[in-house]
Amino acid sequence: MSTLLDGIVQEAVTTDRLTASVLRRTPEGAVGAPIVLIHGNVSSSLFFQPLMLALPRETVAIDLRGYGDSETLPVDATRGLGDFADDVASVLDALGLTDVHIVGWSMGGGVVMQLMLDRPGLIRSATLIAPVPPQGFGTRLDGSLCTPDGAGTGGLGANPDFIARLAAGDTTDDEPTSPRSVFRSSYVAPGFSDGREDLWVESMLSTKTGEGNQPGDGVASDSWPGFAAGGRGVLNTMSAVHLDLTGIVDLERKPSILWVRGAHDAIVGDESFFDFNTLGKHGVVPGWPGEEAAPPQPMIAQTRAVLDEYAANGGAYREEVFEDAGHSPHIEDPERFERLLLEHVAAAD
């Protein structure tokens, strides 16, 4: 059982796909369609608890397979984020929820876009917090793969010491690869503190490790840096070898999208140090073949390009930049995020 804040209820929901852990809150006098919350990689629904307590609507936060208290099942990365999206849909079906407002953070933003493609009737509005770029990882601005096999993406790109510390439940800040240190350096902007760091680290440590889960497997590549995406596990789901969410621009039903990001996001950015091509350009990984062959991925510009096309084809989106936030604007500036989210969902009710 995870650490719950007062007012949050946890339940197990069994579907034909998995048994998922779900956090719920229904405040007195709640009106309007519910808000469903989907977490990102190396996290869980625990990250949404303060937001749930602040919102005047029914909220439902779902732990993805292999995270939090949900069942640990292998992830078929050849389906992109399909396993996660199908799991979420099965939970919503079991709860009798449809036409809801869905919020996805980081990888969860990609899950939301996959749901928009697969189950458009579930979504009344979408909110994307620092989402994975719709083109998937390993691509140029136009979405084309830098190499046919997605070299530099997937499970072999994870730092093995970080994975080992996740598996060991390391709560220290002894090394830069300790989950607590990674939270401070990558999840939030420098200097952030809200007194809940132990809860955030607990959430990170709920991540299940292994080739079928975090980070996944990989294969050798003839292209720099010598590895490419495999077919199993979490990181491979977001390689462009397996993932392409750009089809949202052609949806007949286009829910309005709120895109929220932090200006100091260390994970999702136009030259992120979580991108091997960026590491190569800056000499962190030797042998970089240069900008033409291995350009740093313009993740923000890619997302904006897809959302601009989404709007040109009849949809609507709004981009909000939190100037003092990193990868987690919903916990770094909660009051502003709550206000924007409530405005967004009210307009779509």
Side-chain angles (χ1 to χ4, degrees):
M1 178 72 72
S2 298
T3 300
L4 300 182
L5 302 182
D6 289 344
I8 304 291
V9 175
Q10 183 178 23
E11 62 184 90
V13 176
T14 298
T15 78
D16 59 357
R17 293 185 56 80
L18 81 167
T19 296
S21 175
V22 175
L23 302 186
R24 301 186 75 170
R25 177 174 180 266
T26 304
E28 186 176 351
V31 295
I35 296 175
V36 176
L37 306 162
I38 310 299
H39 65 82
N41 190 20
V42 193
S43 65
S44 73
S45 59
L46 295 183
F47 268 94
F48 288 123
Q49 289 190 95
L51 175 63
M52 296 173 73
L53 292 174
L55 293 175
R57 292 179 177 241
E58 178 185 359
T59 50
V60 177
I62 303 169
D63 282 338
L64 301 174
R65 62 170 63 192
Y67 296 91
D69 291 322
S70 282
E71 186 176 359
T72 300
L73 295 171
V75 177
D76 180 358
T78 66
R79 302 189 64 227
L81 293 166
D83 270 353
F84 293 132
D86 286 351
D87 290 348
V88 169
S90 74
V91 171
L92 296 181
D93 288 344
L95 294 174
L97 296 177
T98 187
D99 201 27
V100 296
H101 305 286
I102 302 191
V103 178
W105 173 36
S106 195
M107 181 180 76
V111 175
V112 168
M113 287 185 272
Q114 189 67 59
L115 282 167
M116 290 169 63
L117 291 168
D118 297 344
R119 293 288 301 275
L122 285 177
I123 301 177
R124 181 175 296 210
S125 77
T127 298
L128 310 176
I129 309 171
V132 56
Q135 297 85 345
F137 290 121
T139 54
R140 303 175 186 275
L141 178 59
D142 65 0
S144 61
L145 279 159
C146 295
T147 66
D149 61 355
T153 67
L156 295 183
N159 185 301
D161 192 58
F162 173 65
I163 300 301
R165 290 174 181 274
L166 275 181
D170 176 17
T171 61
T172 74
D173 59 1
D174 292 347
E175 298 292 339
T177 50
S178 297
R180 189 179 299 272
S181 300
V182 171
F183 171 80
R184 294 173 183 171
S185 65
S186 302
Y187 281 46
V188 293
F192 171 78
S193 177
D194 65 353
R196 291 193 170 108
E197 187 174 90
D198 286 347
L199 180 60
W200 309 144
V201 173
E202 176 189 342
S203 178
M204 294 172 71
L205 292 174
S206 75
T207 304
K208 308 308 186 294
T209 59
E211 284 193 347
N213 296 103
Q214 174 69 24
D217 62 1
V219 298
S221 174
D222 292 334
S223 300
W224 182 90
F227 68 87
R232 295 183 294 166
V234 174
L235 292 189
N236 295 305
T237 66
M238 294 175 280
S239 169
V241 172
H242 304 308
L243 184 69
D244 181 1
L245 303 169
T246 59
I248 63 171
V249 304
D250 296 319
L251 288 172
E252 183 174 343
R253 178 188 180 186
K254 292 184 172 69
S256 60
I257 294 174
L258 172 63
W259 173 27
V260 176
R261 64 182 183 88
H264 301 281
D265 193 334
I267 297 175
V268 175
D270 281 347
E271 198 159 312
S272 166
F273 277 86
F274 281 70
D275 171 18
F276 261 79
N277 290 355
T278 299
L279 295 175
K281 178 178 178 178
H282 291 271
V284 179
V285 177
W288 182 58
E291 195 93 27
E292 184 173 344
Q297 185 163 349
M299 303 176 195
I300 302 301
Q302 286 181 318
T303 298
R304 188 177 296 114
V306 169
L307 293 182
D308 281 346
E309 188 174 355
Y310 186 84
N313 286 356
Y317 87 94
R318 175 181 178 183
E319 177 182 357
E320 289 285 342
V321 181
F322 285 43
E323 295 296 341
D324 297 320
H327 190 61
S328 313
H330 58 299
I331 66 168
E332 295 175 84
D333 191 348
E335 291 184 1
R336 180 183 176 192
F337 181 80
E338 292 152 17
R339 175 176 56 80
L340 289 171
L341 176 60
L342 289 174
E343 290 175 356
H344 178 61
V345 301
D349 268 344

mmCIF file of all heavy atoms in Angstrom, residues 223-245:
data_model
loop_
_atom_site.group_PDB
_atom_site.id
_atom_site.type_symbol
_atom_site.label_atom_id
_atom_site.label_comp_id
_atom_site.label_asym_id
_atom_site.label_seq_id
_atom_site.Cartn_x
_atom_site.Cartn_y
_atom_site.Cartn_z
ATOM 1 N N SER A 223 25.049 1.850 -36.369
ATOM 2 C CA SER A 223 25.129 3.315 -36.284
ATOM 3 C C SER A 223 25.523 3.740 -34.877
ATOM 4 O O SER A 223 25.241 3.042 -33.892
ATOM 5 C CB SER A 223 23.777 3.939 -36.649
ATOM 6 O OG SER A 223 23.392 3.597 -37.962
ATOM 7 N N TRP A 224 26.177 4.910 -34.781
ATOM 8 C CA TRP A 224 26.507 5.490 -33.478
ATOM 9 C C TRP A 224 25.209 5.712 -32.698
ATOM 10 O O TRP A 224 24.211 6.097 -33.299
ATOM 11 C CB TRP A 224 27.248 6.815 -33.690
ATOM 12 C CG TRP A 224 27.665 7.467 -32.421
ATOM 13 C CD1 TRP A 224 28.831 7.304 -31.748
ATOM 14 C CD2 TRP A 224 26.892 8.407 -31.651
ATOM 15 N NE1 TRP A 224 28.842 8.073 -30.615
ATOM 16 C CE2 TRP A 224 27.667 8.752 -30.527
ATOM 17 C CE3 TRP A 224 25.628 8.978 -31.778
ATOM 18 C CZ2 TRP A 224 27.221 9.645 -29.557
ATOM 19 C CZ3 TRP A 224 25.179 9.864 -30.811
ATOM 20 C CH2 TRP A 224 25.971 10.190 -29.724
ATOM 21 N N PRO A 225 25.162 5.455 -31.398
ATOM 22 C CA PRO A 225 26.243 5.045 -30.485
ATOM 23 C C PRO A 225 26.386 3.543 -30.283
ATOM 24 O O PRO A 225 26.943 3.110 -29.287
ATOM 25 C CB PRO A 225 25.829 5.717 -29.181
ATOM 26 C CG PRO A 225 24.331 5.671 -29.216
ATOM 27 C CD PRO A 225 23.940 5.841 -30.659
ATOM 28 N N GLY A 226 25.874 2.740 -31.221
ATOM 29 C CA GLY A 226 26.112 1.311 -31.181
ATOM 30 C C GLY A 226 24.978 0.452 -30.644
ATOM 31 O O GLY A 226 25.120 -0.758 -30.526
ATOM 32 N N PHE A 227 23.847 1.066 -30.309
ATOM 33 C CA PHE A 227 22.689 0.293 -29.846
ATOM 34 C C PHE A 227 21.423 0.923 -30.400
ATOM 35 O O PHE A 227 21.418 2.085 -30.830
ATOM 36 C CB PHE A 227 22.630 0.219 -28.315
ATOM 37 C CG PHE A 227 22.327 1.543 -27.649
ATOM 38 C CD1 PHE A 227 21.017 1.956 -27.438
ATOM 39 C CD2 PHE A 227 23.349 2.386 -27.239
ATOM 40 C CE1 PHE A 227 20.724 3.177 -26.837
ATOM 41 C CE2 PHE A 227 23.079 3.609 -26.635
ATOM 42 C CZ PHE A 227 21.768 3.997 -26.430
ATOM 43 N N ALA A 228 20.348 0.131 -30.373
ATOM 44 C CA ALA A 228 19.059 0.620 -30.858
ATOM 45 C C ALA A 228 17.942 -0.011 -30.038
ATOM 46 O O ALA A 228 18.179 -0.865 -29.182
ATOM 47 C CB ALA A 228 18.891 0.310 -32.341
ATOM 48 N N ALA A 229 16.727 0.414 -30.314
ATOM 49 C CA ALA A 229 15.572 -0.009 -29.530
ATOM 50 C C ALA A 229 15.278 -1.486 -29.719
ATOM 51 O O ALA A 229 15.344 -2.019 -30.828
ATOM 52 C CB ALA A 229 14.348 0.816 -29.911
ATOM 53 N N GLY A 230 14.937 -2.137 -28.614
ATOM 54 C CA GLY A 230 14.451 -3.507 -28.647
ATOM 55 C C GLY A 230 12.939 -3.536 -28.707
ATOM 56 O O GLY A 230 12.285 -2.525 -28.991
ATOM 57 N N GLY A 231 12.368 -4.694 -28.397
ATOM 58 C CA GLY A 231 10.928 -4.867 -28.508
ATOM 59 C C GLY A 231 10.210 -5.047 -27.195
ATOM 60 O O GLY A 231 8.994 -5.233 -27.182
ATOM 61 N N ARG A 232 10.960 -4.987 -26.080
ATOM 62 C CA ARG A 232 10.344 -5.203 -24.774
ATOM 63 C C ARG A 232 10.697 -4.061 -23.838
ATOM 64 O O ARG A 232 11.797 -3.535 -23.863
ATOM 65 C CB ARG A 232 10.818 -6.522 -24.160
ATOM 66 C CG ARG A 232 10.399 -7.767 -24.929
ATOM 67 C CD ARG A 232 10.839 -9.024 -24.204
ATOM 68 N NE ARG A 232 12.302 -9.132 -24.162
ATOM 69 C CZ ARG A 232 12.973 -9.955 -23.385
ATOM 70 N NH1 ARG A 232 12.324 -10.732 -22.533
ATOM 71 N NH2 ARG A 232 14.290 -10.008 -23.441
ATOM 72 N N GLY A 233 9.760 -3.691 -22.979
ATOM 73 C CA GLY A 233 10.053 -2.741 -21.914
ATOM 74 C C GLY A 233 9.729 -1.301 -22.244
ATOM 75 O O GLY A 233 9.472 -0.926 -23.393
ATOM 76 N N VAL A 234 9.776 -0.488 -21.200
ATOM 77 C CA VAL A 234 9.215 0.860 -21.232
ATOM 78 C C VAL A 234 9.918 1.801 -22.198
ATOM 79 O O VAL A 234 9.272 2.463 -23.025
ATOM 80 C CB VAL A 234 9.222 1.457 -19.813
ATOM 81 C CG1 VAL A 234 8.774 2.910 -19.840
ATOM 82 C CG2 VAL A 234 8.328 0.644 -18.894
ATOM 83 N N LEU A 235 11.229 1.927 -22.116
ATOM 84 C CA LEU A 235 11.901 2.936 -22.936
ATOM 85 C C LEU A 235 11.752 2.660 -24.424
ATOM 86 O O LEU A 235 11.732 3.592 -25.235
ATOM 87 C CB LEU A 235 13.375 3.037 -22.555
ATOM 88 C CG LEU A 235 13.677 3.611 -21.165
ATOM 89 C CD1 LEU A 235 15.174 3.849 -21.002
ATOM 90 C CD2 LEU A 235 12.908 4.903 -20.908
ATOM 91 N N ASN A 236 11.634 1.404 -24.793
ATOM 92 C CA ASN A 236 11.455 1.073 -26.207
ATOM 93 C C ASN A 236 10.093 1.507 -26.739
ATOM 94 O O ASN A 236 9.940 1.715 -27.943
ATOM 95 C CB ASN A 236 11.645 -0.426 -26.413
ATOM 96 C CG ASN A 236 13.058 -0.866 -26.116
ATOM 97 O OD1 ASN A 236 14.020 -0.339 -26.667
ATOM 98 N ND2 ASN A 236 13.202 -1.816 -25.204
ATOM 99 N N THR A 237 9.105 1.645 -25.868
ATOM 100 C CA THR A 237 7.766 2.052 -26.319
ATOM 101 C C THR A 237 7.776 3.430 -26.946
ATOM 102 O O THR A 237 6.914 3.744 -27.764
ATOM 103 C CB THR A 237 6.753 2.076 -25.154
ATOM 104 O OG1 THR A 237 7.119 3.109 -24.225
ATOM 105 C CG2 THR A 237 6.683 0.736 -24.450
ATOM 106 N N MET A 238 8.732 4.273 -26.546
ATOM 107 C CA MET A 238 8.749 5.663 -26.993
ATOM 108 C C MET A 238 9.742 5.919 -28.109
ATOM 109 O O MET A 238 9.882 7.048 -28.567
ATOM 110 C CB MET A 238 9.007 6.578 -25.792
ATOM 111 C CG MET A 238 7.872 6.563 -24.794
ATOM 112 S SD MET A 238 8.194 7.515 -23.293
ATOM 113 C CE MET A 238 9.222 6.343 -22.375
ATOM 114 N N SER A 239 10.450 4.866 -28.553
ATOM 115 C CA SER A 239 11.296 4.999 -29.731
ATOM 116 C C SER A 239 10.416 5.137 -30.960
ATOM 117 O O SER A 239 9.390 4.464 -31.092
ATOM 118 C CB SER A 239 12.205 3.784 -29.874
ATOM 119 O OG SER A 239 12.850 3.797 -31.142
ATOM 120 N N ALA A 240 10.841 5.988 -31.893
ATOM 121 C CA ALA A 240 10.057 6.180 -33.113
ATOM 122 C C ALA A 240 10.015 4.934 -33.981
ATOM 123 O O ALA A 240 9.204 4.859 -34.915
ATOM 124 C CB ALA A 240 10.623 7.346 -33.913
ATOM 125 N N VAL A 241 10.845 3.944 -33.674
ATOM 126 C CA VAL A 241 10.731 2.656 -34.360
ATOM 127 C C VAL A 241 9.354 2.046 -34.092
ATOM 128 O O VAL A 241 8.795 1.346 -34.943
ATOM 129 C CB VAL A 241 11.852 1.707 -33.893
ATOM 130 C CG1 VAL A 241 11.647 0.303 -34.444
ATOM 131 C CG2 VAL A 241 13.213 2.244 -34.310
ATOM 132 N N HIS A 242 8.818 2.330 -32.899
ATOM 133 C CA HIS A 242 7.538 1.739 -32.494
ATOM 134 C C HIS A 242 6.425 2.756 -32.294
ATOM 135 O O HIS A 242 5.252 2.365 -32.249
ATOM 136 C CB HIS A 242 7.719 0.964 -31.190
ATOM 137 C CG HIS A 242 8.773 -0.097 -31.223
ATOM 138 N ND1 HIS A 242 8.810 -1.068 -32.192
ATOM 139 C CD2 HIS A 242 9.840 -0.320 -30.404
ATOM 140 C CE1 HIS A 242 9.850 -1.870 -31.970
ATOM 141 N NE2 HIS A 242 10.485 -1.437 -30.906
ATOM 142 N N LEU A 243 6.752 4.030 -32.137
ATOM 143 C CA LEU A 243 5.746 5.026 -31.733
ATOM 144 C C LEU A 243 5.600 6.139 -32.764
ATOM 145 O O LEU A 243 6.595 6.735 -33.195
ATOM 146 C CB LEU A 243 6.146 5.648 -30.384
ATOM 147 C CG LEU A 243 5.132 6.635 -29.785
ATOM 148 C CD1 LEU A 243 3.878 5.907 -29.327
ATOM 149 C CD2 LEU A 243 5.749 7.408 -28.621
ATOM 150 N N ASP A 244 4.373 6.405 -33.142
ATOM 151 C CA ASP A 244 4.051 7.558 -33.980
ATOM 152 C C ASP A 244 2.639 8.001 -33.616
ATOM 153 O O ASP A 244 1.657 7.320 -33.907
ATOM 154 C CB ASP A 244 4.138 7.197 -35.466
ATOM 155 C CG ASP A 244 3.819 8.382 -36.374
ATOM 156 O OD1 ASP A 244 3.553 9.486 -35.861
ATOM 157 O OD2 ASP A 244 3.835 8.197 -37.604
ATOM 158 N N LEU A 245 2.551 9.146 -32.951
ATOM 159 C CA LEU A 245 1.272 9.668 -32.483
ATOM 160 C C LEU A 245 0.779 10.836 -33.328
ATOM 161 O O LEU A 245 -0.209 11.483 -32.989
ATOM 162 C CB LEU A 245 1.408 10.116 -31.022
ATOM 163 C CG LEU A 245 1.879 9.028 -30.047
ATOM 164 C CD1 LEU A 245 2.240 9.643 -28.704
ATOM 165 C CD2 LEU A 245 0.816 7.955 -29.885
#
